[in-house]
Amino acid sequence: DEVENLKTTFHIENSSNILSELDEEFDSLYSILDEVKESMINSIKQEQTRKSQELQVRLYNCLNMILTAFFLFSLISSKAARQIKDRYGIKPTLLFNLFFLFLPVPKAPEIDPVECLVADNCVTVAWRMPEEDNKIDHFILEYRKTNFDGLPRVKDERCWEITDNIKGTEYTLSGKMTLRFRKWSYGYILKTILFWIALNFSLDNSSSHLNLKVEDSCVEWDPTGGKGQEKIKGKENKGRSGTPSPKRTSVGSRPPAVRGSRDRFTGESYTVLGDTAIESGQHYWEVKAQKDCKSYSVGVTYKTLGKFDQLGKTNTSWCVHVNNWLQNTFAAKHNNKVKALDVTVPEKIGVFCDFDGGQLSFYDANSKQLLYSFKTKFTQPVLPGFMVWCGGLSLSTGMQVPSAVRTLQKSENGMTGSASSLNNVTQ
């Protein structure tokens, strides 16, 4: 009996092991079959996709050839166009539209505002594609420059200029402008406007000293004070009655500027001010003197500057002064105090005014070397001020603050030279 029981137990355990092994074998077979099934399905889908794409390409090529033939045929003569319309009831213009409808047009580019940059009077526009498109060969950038403040206006707009064959996705241009770019002539056109708000002022001819000949951005010393021109006109008109003959009137001549306050500056205050006050923000402009200019000053002042006052000799004006007469000097002036500057007078002086930060700095406009910096607190709006004697000055305004100047201002932070240092130095 015991032997029989042992045999029965052995057979039961052996059967269980066999069942377990069979289950493992079947599971392994099932996994192999699933892999084969998945592989076959993927192969079938890939083949289906490939054949579908080939079929689409063939259909597109056939349709392209048919529409091209119809389009070219319709261009041969108006008679052919009427034949197409009479026979097929289709207008040739409709075929033309269908021709371009089936062309593969890439998606519109998107402006990348993070990569766009407006700095140093240049505009860098950057864009990106929503998805990669290897069929795009190049981009075409269209731009139109503007020389006025505010939004672009219809009046006096310049023509669009084109820069072709741009391989990358960014481009840099100089000057204020409106930009747009496109992909292919029938692709999407995307416009963007990139510009900066800058102080754009002119010289105030109506309140300048009589011995200064002033235009919008130029001022020149005139020892005759306009009297010489009046004498010449008097000689020309001597013995003539009535108004001058229209034949002798210059077509391109402009009427003389009206001087609202002829005694705004007088005596030795050969001064002219800008026509736009600075009440906030950071602004930058540049001044270039004639080579033979004997004396000139560049700075800012409150509107209350007296008619006999000179820049830098009051507590409401700040400037740098260049003297090339008898002796050569270069100095910063404020409140009738002077600080000699041990630097070479640059060819062009850059002026940076931070009204809110109370800082007025002067730079070499070419190298961006800091010449001098005033640190104060402006309590009133300031006007750009200029003094010139025996020579002339020319201005460049409407400029963006150069990035090098911004960097220097952050690092300098008013530590290099200040108005307080002038209080200890008497002129």
Side-chain angles (χ1 to χ4, degrees):
D1 291 337
E2 290 181 0
V3 172
E4 290 295 332
N5 290 335
L6 289 172
K7 288 181 179 181
T8 302
T9 303
F10 174 76
H11 285 301
I12 292 173
E13 291 179 354
N14 193 26
S15 299
S16 299
N17 293 334
I18 292 172
L19 289 175
S20 298
E21 290 177 359
L22 285 174
D23 288 337
E24 291 178 359
E25 291 291 337
F26 278 114
D27 289 339
S28 176
L29 288 174
Y30 285 143
S31 62
I32 293 172
L33 289 174
D34 288 336
E35 291 177 0
V36 173
K37 177 183 176 182
E38 185 177 356
S39 176
M40 292 178 67
I41 291 175
N42 290 335
S43 300
I44 293 172
K45 287 183 177 180
Q46 291 176 0
E47 185 69 14
Q48 184 181 10
T49 302
R50 184 183 64 80
K51 290 184 177 180
S52 177
Q53 290 177 350
E54 289 181 357
L55 181 60
Q56 289 179 1
V57 170
R58 290 180 181 179
L59 288 174
Y60 166 74
N61 291 333
C62 291
L63 182 61
N64 190 13
M65 294 174 61
I66 294 171
L67 293 177
T68 303
F70 272 113
F71 175 64
L72 296 176
F73 183 65
S74 65
L75 293 180
I76 297 174
S77 65
S78 58
K79 182 179 179 180
R82 287 195 300 269
Q83 289 178 354
I84 292 176
K85 183 178 179 182
D86 295 339
R87 180 174 298 182
Y88 301 103
I90 301 176
K91 295 181 179 180
T93 54
L94 178 60
L95 293 175
F96 179 77
N97 294 333
L98 287 173
F99 174 73
F100 283 99
L101 179 63
F102 283 93
L103 284 176
V105 179
K107 293 186 178 180
E110 299 175 350
I111 288 292
D112 189 352
V114 177
E115 298 298 329
C116 289
L117 179 64
V118 179
D120 297 333
N121 302 305
C122 293
V123 174
T124 298
V125 59
W127 60 92
R128 58 173 176 262
M129 299 302 299
E131 58 186 37
E132 186 177 355
D133 191 342
N134 296 326
K135 296 180 180 179
I136 297 177
D137 179 68
H138 65 276
F139 293 87
I140 300 173
L141 178 69
E142 297 180 351
Y143 61 94
R144 179 169 56 198
K145 293 189 176 182
T146 58
N147 289 325
F148 46 77
D149 292 335
L151 296 175
R153 302 173 293 189
V154 176
K155 184 179 179 181
D156 299 332
E157 282 188 343
R158 296 189 180 184
C159 297
W160 288 98
E161 301 179 46
I162 295 177
T163 298
D164 200 352
N165 201 30
I166 301 176
K167 297 297 184 179
T169 55
E170 69 174 38
Y171 198 80
T172 301
L173 293 165
S174 62
K176 300 180 184 179
M177 65 198 67
T178 304
L179 298 170
R180 69 181 180 184
F181 61 89
R182 63 186 182 183
K183 306 167 298 166
W184 304 348
S185 59
Y186 52 86
Y188 293 97
I189 294 178
L190 180 61
K191 281 188 178 181
T192 182
I193 300 173
L194 297 175
F195 60 95
W196 56 86
I197 300 174
L199 179 66
N200 195 356
F201 66 89
S202 300
L203 297 176
D204 186 6
N205 183 39
S206 64
S207 61
S208 63
H209 193 285
L210 283 174
N211 285 105
L212 297 180
K213 184 169 60 177
V214 178
E215 295 183 1
D216 289 342
S217 59
C218 298
V219 55
E220 190 172 355
W221 163 259
D222 181 11
T224 64
K227 295 179 181 180
Q229 296 180 356
E230 293 176 1
K231 290 180 180 180
I232 294 173
K233 290 181 179 179
K235 290 180 180 179
E236 290 179 351
N237 296 330
K238 187 176 181 180
R240 299 177 183 268
S241 60
T243 58
S245 171
K247 295 181 180 179
R248 292 184 175 272
T249 303
S250 176
V251 176
S253 62
R254 296 185 300 174
V258 178
R259 302 185 72 93
S261 304
R262 295 180 65 86
D263 60 346
R264 174 65 180 90
F265 294 104
T266 187
E268 295 183 355
S269 180
Y270 304 114
T271 305
V272 61
L273 303 177
D275 61 0
T276 304
I278 299 175
E279 300 180 355
S280 62
Q282 297 180 345
H283 307 281
Y284 179 84
W285 61 95
E286 295 179 350
V287 183
K288 183 177 182 180
Q290 295 177 355
K291 291 184 178 180
D292 58 347
C293 189
K294 293 184 178 180
S295 179
Y296 63 93
S297 298
V298 178
V300 299
T301 178
Y302 290 162
K303 297 179 181 179
T304 56
L305 187 67
K307 65 180 182 179
F308 294 103
D309 293 334
Q310 298 180 15
L311 290 177
K313 291 191 175 183
T314 68
N315 62 352
T316 60
S317 61
W318 302 258
C319 73
V320 289
H321 176 74
V322 178
N323 181 29
N324 296 320
W325 184 57
L326 297 181
Q327 58 180 353
N328 296 330
T329 59
F330 186 28
K333 289 186 175 182
H334 169 66
N335 198 21
N336 205 25
K337 311 295 182 181
V338 63
K339 172 72 174 179
L341 304 181
D342 189 18
V343 292
T344 304
V345 178
E347 179 184 2
K348 187 185 296 184
I349 296 176
V351 184
F352 171 77
C353 180
D354 182 0
F355 185 90
D356 301 317
Q359 193 150 350
L360 179 68
S361 301
F362 299 90
Y363 289 86
D364 183 330
N366 295 326
S367 66
K368 299 301 181 291
Q369 175 190 0
L370 178 63
L371 304 175
Y372 194 80
S373 183
F374 292 99
K375 187 67 177 178
T376 184
K377 181 178 181 181
F378 297 119
T379 58
Q380 302 177 31
V382 295
L383 289 167
F386 310 89
M387 187 281 295
V388 60
W389 178 67
C390 291
L393 302 174
S394 59
L395 311 181
S396 298
T397 67
M399 306 178 69
Q400 189 190 21
V401 179
S403 57
V405 172
R406 291 186 183 275
T407 302
L408 286 171
Q409 286 298 134
K410 290 180 181 179
S411 60
E412 187 259 346
N413 196 22
M415 297 301 296
T416 306
S418 65
S420 60
S421 64
L422 292 178
N423 295 331
N424 301 324
V425 183
T426 307
Q427 185 179 16

